[in-house]
Amino acid sequence: MTVAIGNPMIRMPSQAKNGEIIEVRSLIMHPMTTGLQKDKAGKIIPAHFIQTVTAEFDGKLFMTIDWSIAISTNPYLAYKMRAQKSGTLKMTWKDNQEQSWTATAQLTVA
Amino acid sequence: MFSNPLPRRDFIRATLTGGAVVAAAGAGLLRSDSAMAGDVPGWPAKPFEDKTLSSAMMDSVGKTSVAPSPKVKLTAPTIAENGGAVPVTVEIDFPMTADDYIDAVYLFVDHNPSPLVSKYQFTPESGQAYFQERIKMAKTDHIRVIAKSSKGVLMASTPKEVKVTIGGCGG
């Protein structure tokens, strides 16, 4: 059985007023193993977890997150962003085994 | 590849470089505070690998005690049946202007194997220092949050106790 991994998703309003603070919700599939658990054969399951998440709007970085092994499997994340212009939100997740994923969402500011 | 074999000198150099990487990775296993081979550049390994709350606080905010402020709001359930996924919401009541804003927010679980859980860095474009995430808790314990303003002012949440029925860190 393979473990589901990746498939990042972003949910946020597609339209906002200038200056409005909007909530962005996101989800990604990831095992987030701690390196502290053993499998049935008694072998340590290696740590495999997302270490950083970044959010940029139209290429400008505005939030950086560092995560530990204590973030739950399939990490859910919500945060806020100030809507100032129309453009593209891009999120990037990176794990400790040199894998990374990105997702984008469009915002129209009236 | 076969039409242009690697010259012997380059082959030896490549082998030596590879050996150095293996040696560095080996050192990482012995020294818990050093970054492992696959770590994302810039990820702060030291505070994340500290085993006690006081050392994790020292290595992240530079203090072992920070006064609580009503501006730092931490919401978590009083009882969590599953310690593997405890929902937390953090909200800092602080204006996010270009000259003064919440720069960093740290979340700790006092007695987790590694107490520092997450570090968020915000900018004025965030609009508000706010996040929701789900965390693992090994047992019934306290969660606490420390926020740092861009001018260096530290403020803490009131520690919040969560009763955990089934721990979420394994072992």
Side-chain angles (χ1 to χ4, degrees):
Chain A
M1 196 182 81
T2 52
V3 179
I5 193 160
N7 191 24
M9 282 177 279
I10 298 178
R11 292 283 178 273
M12 67 173 200
S14 57
Q15 298 190 331
K17 292 190 196 109
N18 189 11
E20 190 181 341
I21 295 168
I22 60 168
E23 179 163 343
V24 181
R25 291 177 297 151
S26 68
L27 192 64
I28 187 167
M29 297 293 118
H30 200 284
M32 300 298 283
T33 52
T34 60
L36 303 171
Q37 279 174 306
K38 288 174 183 166
D39 63 16
K40 282 178 187 141
K43 264 185 70 180
I44 294 269
I45 303 167
H48 185 197
F49 63 107
I50 292 171
Q51 292 185 313
T52 65
V53 188
T54 54
E56 52 193 272
F57 193 79
D58 269 4
K60 189 175 187 256
L61 182 72
F62 68 92
M63 185 183 68
T64 306
I65 302 168
D66 296 314
W67 273 346
S68 77
I69 54 172
I71 297 296
S72 304
T73 307
N74 302 336
Y76 166 81
L77 165 67
Y79 58 93
K80 301 254 170 120
M81 177 176 81
R82 185 176 277 143
Q84 287 166 311
K85 58 173 181 175
S86 300
T88 305
L89 170 72
K90 181 183 173 191
M91 290 179 66
T92 306
W93 293 256
K94 291 182 181 175
D95 76 13
N96 70 326
Q97 294 187 5
E98 294 171 10
Q99 281 182 284
S100 73
W101 299 268
T102 60
T104 58
Q106 299 297 323
L107 178 70
T108 304
V109 170
Chain B
M1 186 71 197
F2 289 115
S3 61
N4 182 18
L6 201 59
R8 182 181 141 81
R9 196 177 299 162
D10 287 358
F11 174 79
I12 291 169
R13 191 183 301 138
T15 312
L16 287 174
T17 316
V21 170
V22 171
L29 291 175
L30 297 174
R31 284 186 46 214
S32 68
D33 60 328
S34 70
M36 299 293 278
D39 279 351
V40 178
W43 184 75
K46 179 101 174 66
F48 277 128
E49 285 166 10
D50 281 328
K51 301 296 176 220
T52 62
L53 178 67
S54 57
S55 53
M57 283 178 70
M58 204 62 206
D59 288 332
S60 52
V61 299
K63 276 185 162 187
T64 55
S65 165
V66 173
S69 160
K71 292 188 170 85
V72 183
K73 294 188 188 99
L74 162 64
T75 312
T78 306
I79 298 175
E81 274 188 27
N82 176 10
V86 180
V88 295
T89 304
V90 173
E91 198 172 346
I92 322 289
D93 184 11
F94 197 91
M96 299 290 273
T97 61
D99 55 281
D100 201 8
Y101 58 92
I102 295 297
D103 170 52
V105 178
Y106 302 84
L107 188 137
F108 303 87
V109 174
D110 289 11
H111 299 95
N112 260 10
S114 308
L116 179 59
V117 172
S118 60
K119 173 189 178 185
Y120 283 66
Q121 282 179 285
F122 298 103
T123 59
E125 286 76 40
S126 300
Q128 189 188 11
Y130 163 96
F131 64 86
Q132 271 188 338
E133 63 187 9
R134 293 183 191 136
I135 66 170
K136 296 172 194 165
M137 293 181 69
K139 57 180 182 180
T140 295
D141 207 344
H142 286 87
I143 306 176
R144 60 184 74 219
V145 170
I146 297 177
K148 189 173 116 230
S149 77
S150 57
K151 291 184 173 167
V153 177
L154 291 173
M155 50 203 122
S157 69
T158 308
K160 161 85 184 167
E161 189 187 50
V162 177
K163 289 193 186 349
V164 174
T165 317
I166 304 165
C169 287

